[in-house]
């Protein structure tokens, strides 16, 4: 990546802003924000921490620990949002229903949302939740970038093959251009620069052409 990484400084100074159980508890709907979504235990919090060079999001071996919409401030106009994990979390059904209801309300109403980063465990991609998010992003025209997390759990060849296969399945099921996709490993810091370029573009820090040149 270019040494002129426009988002690096912002990421390094990212700070926790607020947690919201409901949409009406979210910060003012102004500026730009990028949301991070993923099935429970897909490595969402680890990815967020790695991208920001901070320990913003709590990580746990217990799926479903992220139960709120957690907002992190980059500057006065830009935020990152850690969305509730979805899937086989060991929580009561009513709480799962609460998450789903308010996650849908957030996605459907948030004017400042400018892009969605979707985490998929490379060993279990395209789950039912992942497909739902792809459906929603295609229908709404929301920019979507997919991180195939835990890429270090596979050999390099196997990881690249999975990347190609998932890319083909997305193209077949949702068409060209609905999502960009990459390999990512938080422990190995694999794919960090590539993902940060996407964030920088969405948050208005660089132009698309610049991002393509630096990738």
């Amino acid at each position: 990546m270019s040494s002129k990484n426009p988002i690096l400084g912002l990421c390094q100074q990212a700070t926790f802003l607020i947690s919201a159980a409901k949409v009406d508890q979210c910060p003012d709907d102004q500026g730009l924000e990028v949301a991070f979504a993923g099935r429970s235990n897909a490595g969402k919090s680890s990815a967020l921490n790695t991208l920001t060079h901070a320990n913003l999001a709590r990580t746990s071996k217990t799926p479903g620990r992220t139960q709120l919409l957690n907002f992190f401030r980059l500057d006065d106009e830009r935020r990152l949002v850690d969305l509730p994990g979805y899937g086989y979390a060991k929580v009561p059904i009513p709480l799962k229903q609460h998450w789903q209801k308010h996650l849908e309300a957030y996605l459907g109403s948030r004017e400042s949302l400018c892009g969605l980063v979707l985490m998929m465990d490379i060993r279990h991609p395209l789950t039912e939740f992942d497909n739902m998010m792809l459906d929603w992003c295609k229908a709404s025209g929301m920019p979507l970038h997919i991180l195939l997390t835990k890429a270090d759990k596979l050999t390099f060849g196997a990881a690249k093959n999975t990347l190609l296969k998932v890319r083909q399945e997305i193209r077949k099921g949702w068409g060209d251009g609905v999502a960009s996709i990459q390999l990512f490993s938080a422990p190995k810091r694999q794919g960090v620069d590539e993902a940060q370029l996407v964030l920088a573009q969405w948050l208005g820090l660089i132009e698309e052409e610049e991002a393509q040149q630096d990738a």
Side-chain angles (χ1 to χ4, degrees), residues 11 50 94 130 168 182 185 205:
C11 284
T50 302
D130 299 331
Q168 289 171 353
Q182 67 166 101
S185 167
L205 297 169

Side-chain angles (χ1 to χ4, degrees), residues 22-36:
K22 301 178 180 180
V23 173
D24 59 12
Q25 297 170 350
C26 294
D28 290 344
D29 195 0
Q30 300 175 349
L32 297 169
E33 63 193 27
V34 173
F36 288 71

Side-chain angles (χ1 to χ4, degrees), residues 107-174:
L107 292 173
S109 66
R110 196 73 175 165
E111 294 291 335
S112 53
L113 182 62
C114 62
L116 188 70
V117 180
L118 178 61
M119 262 62 62
M120 297 184 192
D121 186 327
I122 194 168
R123 299 163 300 177
H124 313 287
L126 295 174
T127 65
E128 181 182 4
F129 171 76
D130 299 331
N131 295 343
M132 285 169 46
M133 298 307 293
L134 279 156
D135 287 342
W136 181 81
C137 286
K138 180 176 182 178
S140 64
M142 179 63 62
L144 176 65
H145 186 65
I146 296 169
L147 303 184
L148 288 179
T149 61
K150 308 185 183 183
D152 57 293
K153 300 292 186 181
L154 301 180
T155 65
F156 180 75
K160 291 291 286 186
N161 286 338
T162 301
L163 173 65
L164 293 174
K165 181 180 178 182
V166 174
R167 182 178 284 144
Q168 289 171 353
E169 289 186 28
I170 290 173
R171 184 178 297 123
K172 180 179 178 181
W174 290 271

